[in-house]
Amino acid sequence: MLMVSTLVCLSLALSIIIMIISTLISKKTINDREKNSPFECGFDPKGSARLPFSLRFFLIAIVFLIFDVEITLLLPLASIFDKTNTITWTMTGTFFLLILLAGLYHEWMQGALEWAE
C-alpha cells in the first residue's frame, strides 16, 4: 500500500512540475497589435468578427445532438436481443424509450421545438 501511495504522489508531483514548466516556456512576451487582431494581413476589419447567432437554432441543435446520442445508445439493444432474456430486453428498451419521450414532451411543452413564432 505504501508503494502505491508513493507512486501516486510521485506521478502527481511529476505532472504538476511538467505543467508548470510548459506554462513558463509557452508564455509569449511580445504582444503585437497586428498579431492580436483578427486578420494578420495588415487590414483593419470592417465589422465585428462576432456575428449574432440564433439562440433558437442553437437549442434545436442541442436537442438534436442529445437525441442523436440517445439513438446511438439504443442501437446495441438490437444486437443483444438473442443474448439476453426477452422480458429484461423489453423492459430496458421500453424504459429507455419512455425517458426519450418524456424529454421530447418536455422540450415540446417548453416551446424549444417551435422554429417560427
Side-chain angles (χ1 to χ4, degrees):
M1 187 67 178
L2 182 64
M3 182 83 155
V4 172
S5 63
T6 305
L7 287 176
V8 168
C9 290
L10 183 66
S11 64
L12 184 65
L14 185 63
S15 300
I16 290 173
I17 289 170
I18 289 175
M19 285 191 292
I20 290 172
I21 290 173
S22 67
T23 303
L24 292 175
I25 291 174
S26 70
K27 287 286 186 186
K28 290 185 178 181
T29 57
I30 300 172
N31 286 331
D32 187 17
R33 185 182 76 84
E34 293 298 322
K35 290 288 185 182
N36 289 334
S37 68
F39 304 103
E40 295 183 14
C41 60
F43 298 107
D44 290 329
K46 291 183 181 178
S48 174
R50 303 268 185 202
L51 297 175
F53 190 72
S54 171
L55 185 62
R56 177 131 352 239
F57 176 75
F58 178 74
L59 288 175
I60 294 287
I62 293 296
V63 168
F64 172 76
L65 183 67
I66 289 170
F67 282 107
D68 193 39
V69 168
E70 289 172 348
I71 293 299
T72 305
L73 293 173
L74 269 175
L75 285 176
L77 272 177
S79 65
I80 64 165
F81 179 70
D82 56 345
K83 297 175 182 67
T84 186
N85 187 1
T86 307
I87 295 175
T88 306
W89 182 84
T90 305
M91 288 179 60
T92 304
T94 304
F95 183 68
F96 196 77
L97 283 175
L98 284 175
I99 291 174
L100 281 177
L101 288 175
L104 181 63
Y105 180 74
H106 176 71
E107 292 294 327
W108 188 11
M109 288 296 116
Q110 292 294 320
L113 301 177
E114 298 290 330
W115 184 259
E117 294 177 350

